[in-house]
Amino acid sequence: MPLARILQACDAAVGLIVANWNKSATPMDTEEGDGVTRVYAPPISFTPDSPPQIAGRQVFVFPGPYDAANFTRVDQLRDYKIRVLVVEQYTADTDGPPTAWIDDRVSFCEQLIFNPFANSELVLFDQCFPALEDQATVDVLYDAKQLLENKAFWCEMSFPFQEDTLQDGSVSL
Amino acid sequence: MSGVQLGRNSVFYLNTGSYASPTWSVMANISDMTVAGEWDGADSSTRESVVKMEVPTMVDLAVSGKMKFITDSNTTTVVQAFFTRAVIDIMALNGPQTTTGNIGVRYPCVVKSRNEDQGLSVAVFEDVKFQPTPSASGPPCWVQVVAGAPVFYSI
């Protein structure tokens, strides 16, 4: 059975994030634990008491809800929502995290994830493109509670995509 | 769905042949569409009854709807017909022309209006209206599919 289109969309999103990150001035460092993965329910722990404690910068890509609406008499417009969570714990043995460290993560989310995914000219895969009417959103830019309690950066984003399918959901490429 | 005729299964055709020997080409890039149907009436009320009475005189059979813009030849023909005032021959049925019992209209027409929303966040659709027009090739007809083929009746 082929992978569901929403999962194919998420996998394409993972690939795009990895590519953008590796092209940046501070590429993904897998030895430090950095990663980009498609997940359903990632075990996120910030303490050694409940392993695995998160390591490096983790970008999680979640499949969200999707729906279909008639577009013409023969095709549909299918809407897929992709959700992205960026999590990283500040591990330096000092007070913190400092503002500059948070600034870097906020900039990472904007420049390497939000901007490319909000670009209406993006073709994520096949003919899947950013939704015409729904907008990409940063739902949580940072979570103050996570910063204060766990020294953790936590950013949530949502990206609606659409593709034109036949009535049975198949794609005419 | 048994017993229900879905609007989605209605079919809009463009004649790419002649009026007498039509070649009906399906335009699938249609979304919503309405086939108008309302008679004007001449007042025929008399003292014989308190009921208002009319005699039908003229009927509006314009077809209006939304057409997704694509660059195929049929869509191009329709859009060009708006600008050139060319007469085109259309047929709008509430199902395929091969399914007995389906009904609709067929007539030579002009593209009376064409409105195109070019908003930033929309797919481009043409809001078009087809208005019957006098033509030497043939009159407006209503259509019923009989024995798997459309039959044209004068109005």
Side-chain angles (χ1 to χ4, degrees), chain A residues 47-113:
Chain A
T47 63
D49 304 338
S50 53
Q53 187 174 359
I54 198 161
R57 185 177 308 168
Q58 296 298 322
V59 180
F60 298 114
V61 178
F62 302 81
Y66 60 91
D67 59 57
N70 284 333
F71 198 33
T72 70
R73 287 172 173 172
V74 295
D75 57 355
Q76 293 182 338
L77 207 52
R78 298 213 167 190
D79 288 26
Y80 305 106
K81 184 151 283 186
I82 296 173
R83 293 187 170 135
V84 175
L85 169 65
V86 180
V87 186
E88 184 173 358
Q89 190 171 30
Y90 182 72
T91 53
D93 191 18
T94 60
D95 289 339
T99 298
W101 185 90
I102 303 170
D103 288 349
D104 284 347
R105 275 72 197 160
V106 169
S107 302
F108 170 87
C109 291
E110 183 209 61
Q111 291 158 27
L112 298 186
I113 300 178

Side-chain angles (χ1 to χ4, degrees), chain B residues 70-90:
Chain B
I70 54 179
T71 55
D72 73 335
S73 61
N74 286 345
T75 305
T76 301
T77 296
V78 169
V79 173
Q80 285 182 346
F82 169 77
F83 292 110
T84 63
R85 289 169 282 175
V87 176
I88 57 176
D89 188 11
I90 62 150

